Amino acid sequence: MMIFLDSADIKEIEELATTGLIDGVTTNPSLAAASGMSFSELITQITKLVTGPVSAEVTALDAPTMIAQGRKLAKIASNVTVKVPLTFEGLKACKVLASEDILVNVTLCFSLNQAILAAKAGATFISPFVGRLDDCGADGMNLIEDIVNTYEKYEIDTLVLAASIRHSQHVYEAARLGADVVTIPGKVFRQLYNHPLTDSGLAAFMKDWQKSGLKI
Ligand code: E4P
C-alpha cells in the first residue's frame, strides 16, 4: 500500500520524506490556503521533495476552466496529479485531462456510483473521504470496501486512495480492505510507528548495554 502525506506544510513534508517512506503528497485548497505560499510555488517545492504523485486541485467549477487550470498545473512537474472534484463538470474535465495522459485524482467521493463514474472518466486515483462520512454517522470504511471490491470485479485500473484519514485505525482498516493508497496527515504518520512497548523495550536494552561497557 502506498502512503501519501495529506499536507501543504513544506517543513513537515521535508522532514517525513527523509524516511524514504512517503510515496506522494495530496493537497487541497484549504491546506494550500493555510500554507501562506503562492500555489505554484507550493506545488513546485513539494514536487521537489517527493518523486511520487503530488495532487494539486483545480478551483474552477466549470469543465473548460478546470481543464485549462489542470494543464497549467501539470506543466509544473511530471509528478503533478491534477485533482478535480467529483461533479458533472469535474468528470468531464477528468475525461479530457486523462486523454492527454495527465494524472487525475478525482476527489470528494462519497458513493460507489460516483467512484464508478470517475473510473469511466479515466481517473488515475479516486479519493473516497472516510473521515467526513464517519463524521455524519455513516461508515467510511464500508465505502472503501465497496469500491475496492467493485473495481476488482471489473478489473478497473483506477487506484483507490483512502482520504480524510483521521487516525491510525483508519489506516489499519484501509490496508486490510485493500485500498491502494492512504493519504494521511503528518500526525497520523507518527501514530503508525509510535508504540509504548517499543519505547520501554528500547530504554531497557539501552540501560543494560550501557551498564555492560560493550561496544559495536
Ligand atoms: C484528500 O485529498 C483531502 O485533502 C483530505 O484527505 C481531506 O481530509 P479532511 O476531511 O480531514 O479535511
Side-chain angles (χ1 to χ4, degrees):
M1 184 177 65
M2 287 183 277
I3 296 180
F4 290 1
L5 265 187
D6 195 29
S7 175
D9 179 337
I10 294 291
K11 272 202 178 136
E12 176 179 69
I13 298 167
E14 195 169 19
E15 188 197 347
L16 296 181
T18 61
T19 60
L21 304 178
I22 303 302
D23 300 301
V25 172
T26 54
T27 65
N28 64 38
S30 304
L31 293 171
S35 75
M37 296 171 70
S38 85
F39 193 45
S40 61
E41 185 52 26
L42 173 72
I43 299 302
T44 304
Q45 286 204 24
I46 299 175
T47 56
K48 288 181 181 156
L49 295 173
V50 293
T51 52
V54 174
S55 288
E57 190 160 341
V58 300
T59 50
L61 297 177
D62 64 285
T65 320
M66 283 184 191
I67 294 164
Q69 289 184 342
R71 287 177 181 147
K72 189 172 169 186
L73 291 169
K75 282 199 185 104
I76 294 178
S78 60
N79 55 336
V80 166
T81 300
V82 176
K83 213 170 170 191
V84 300
L86 213 158
T87 58
F88 186 75
E89 295 298 305
L91 289 169
K92 286 198 285 184
C94 176
K95 183 84 181 160
V96 172
L97 293 168
S99 75
E100 295 173 9
D101 287 332
I102 292 174
L103 303 174
V104 185
N105 175 358
V106 178
T107 189
L108 290 165
C109 171
F110 295 95
S111 76
L112 176 60
N113 288 341
Q114 289 182 318
I116 291 166
L117 292 179
K120 283 188 80 71
T124 319
F125 299 100
I126 181 67
S127 288
F129 274 38
V130 173
R132 293 192 193 188
L133 277 170
D134 290 357
D135 288 346
C136 56
D139 184 344
M141 281 302 158
N142 283 345
L143 178 58
I144 298 293
E145 188 170 23
D146 277 352
I147 299 174
V148 167
N149 291 343
T150 307
Y151 278 9
E152 198 176 295
K153 192 178 291 173
Y154 291 99
E155 298 180 357
I156 288 169
D157 291 334
T158 300
L159 298 172
V160 181
L161 191 167
S164 188
I165 295 286
R166 303 279 171 75
H167 45 72
S168 56
Q169 187 63 19
H170 275 154
V171 178
Y172 172 92
E173 282 297 329
R176 209 175 57 82
L177 295 171
D180 299 288
V181 192
V182 281
T183 188
I184 56 178
K187 185 187 83 174
V188 175
F189 184 82
R190 295 183 194 286
Q191 290 171 356
L192 300 185
Y193 61 79
N194 274 328
H195 199 288
L197 289 178
T198 304
D199 296 342
S200 59
L202 182 61
F205 287 158
M206 290 304 99
K207 200 172 156 205
D208 292 342
W209 181 260
Q210 269 153 22
K211 265 196 293 186
S212 74
L214 291 169
K215 283 198 167 54
I216 293 178

